Amino acid sequence: MDIILLGPPGAGKGTQAQRLVEHHGMRQLSTGDMLRAAVKAGTPVGIKAKAIMDAGELVSDEIVSELIDAELTAMGKETGAIFDGYPRTEGQAEMLDGLLAKHGRSLDHVIELEVNEDALVERITGRFSCANCGAGYHDTFKQPKVEGVCDECGSTEFKRRPDDTEETVRHRMQVYRSETAPILPGYEKRGIVTRVDGMGAIDEVTGAIDAILA
Ligand code: AMP
């Protein structure tokens, strides 16, 4: 089964994708994660993408679609894909159709996480993660049990995304409304869109998504 998780930045796509990986053995294809890895590794794609990402703008359709193509080439057809943060433009949605056909796959569901934008700004600007194992935390909602020490691995190093400032977050939301939301009507015509309330507790959202996939 292949699905798209859609929703503005901070809607919980990454968190829910990780749950789907654990519960259903699917594979998370996050273009944001792939781009951050490229930036960290200093690859040509990473060098090109860094300033664009820091400003909350979109990297080119070609670059992100090539990243997805490479992942689909590397994974087996029997493993379901969760597209997380891709497609983000009408161009990417078209490219994804081409890639799915090329790899003999098809889209089963587009799940949109619906959220309140003001609450999202608080969610995003407060988030941080363990620099060692990546475990996610939040200033208000989820501090480590012992201050300054990762619950999962004991590391004392944490990091924040450079694009998680309020100004950039508001801009990323604007980009979501103007560039990404317009891809929904096309999927609606195919009858594969389901909306889920993304403001509920993480487990409730997971339950709603599991019910769609069942
Ligand atoms: P994310 O982790 O999904 O919030 O992505 C972080 C940043 O990476 C975005 O603000 C964009 O600059 C870039 N990015 C991630 N995915 C895409 C995509 N599908 N198309 C264009 N840019 C992307």
Side-chain angles (χ1 to χ4, degrees), residues 31-32 35-36 53 57-59 64 85 88 92 161 172:
T31 41
L35 289 167
R36 279 185 288 279
M53 293 171 74
E57 303 288 352
L58 293 182
V59 173
V64 288
R88 250 178 163 96
Q92 290 177 28
R161 283 175 44 172
R172 285 157 62 205

Side-chain angles (χ1 to χ4, degrees), residues 6-212:
L6 261 186
K13 300 186 296 291
T15 303
Q16 295 302 329
Q18 281 169 15
R19 296 279 183 101
L20 292 172
V21 168
E22 285 160 23
H23 298 180
H24 301 277
M26 299 173 80
R27 178 95 183 262
Q28 176 186 11
L29 301 181
S30 157
T31 41
D33 286 349
M34 292 173 205
L35 289 167
R36 279 185 288 279
V39 170
K40 200 169 168 199
T43 66
V45 163
I47 291 165
K48 219 168 161 180
K50 182 168 185 344
I52 300 171
M53 293 171 74
D54 285 352
E57 303 288 352
L58 293 182
V59 173
S60 80
D61 291 348
E62 288 71 22
I63 287 182
V64 288
S65 297
E66 275 167 28
L67 292 171
I68 292 286
D69 190 13
E71 291 292 325
L72 291 177
T73 303
M75 65 191 263
K77 233 164 68 171
E78 61 292 339
T79 305
I82 309 154
F83 298 100
D84 162 12
Y86 177 92
R88 250 178 163 96
T89 64
E90 290 176 279
Q92 290 177 28
E94 263 174 48
M95 287 178 185
L96 176 59
D97 282 340
L99 289 176
L100 290 170
K102 171 179 161 187
H103 293 281
R105 315 181 66 112
S106 64
L107 208 50
D108 298 283
H109 296 283
V110 176
I111 299 174
E112 188 193 21
L113 298 176
E114 289 189 302
V115 284
N116 167 303
E117 285 198 8
D118 286 328
L120 280 195
V121 172
E122 186 186 14
R123 244 197 217 184
I124 300 184
T125 54
R127 68 186 180 184
F128 62 99
S129 63
C130 172
N132 178 49
C133 73
Y137 296 99
H138 194 281
D139 293 330
T140 314
F141 308 122
K142 195 187 170 207
Q143 283 282 356
K145 292 192 185 86
V146 177
E147 197 186 331
V149 183
C150 176
D151 297 346
E152 305 293 332
C153 75
S155 166
T156 53
E157 300 279 324
F158 295 88
K159 60 180 182 183
R160 287 176 194 265
R161 283 175 44 172
D163 57 348
D164 276 352
T165 61
E166 174 158 2
E167 192 192 351
T168 311
V169 168
R170 295 227 181 250
H171 183 64
R172 285 157 62 205
M173 283 171 181
Q174 169 63 34
V175 171
Y176 179 79
R177 279 195 299 270
S178 62
E179 302 289 330
T180 307
I183 71 178
L184 271 163
Y187 291 125
E188 261 160 13
K189 272 193 206 134
R190 298 190 213 168
I192 54 174
V193 176
T194 314
R195 294 194 163 78
V196 166
D197 177 6
M199 296 312 293
I202 292 175
D203 284 343
E204 283 168 20
V205 180
T206 305
I209 295 176
D210 280 344
I212 294 165

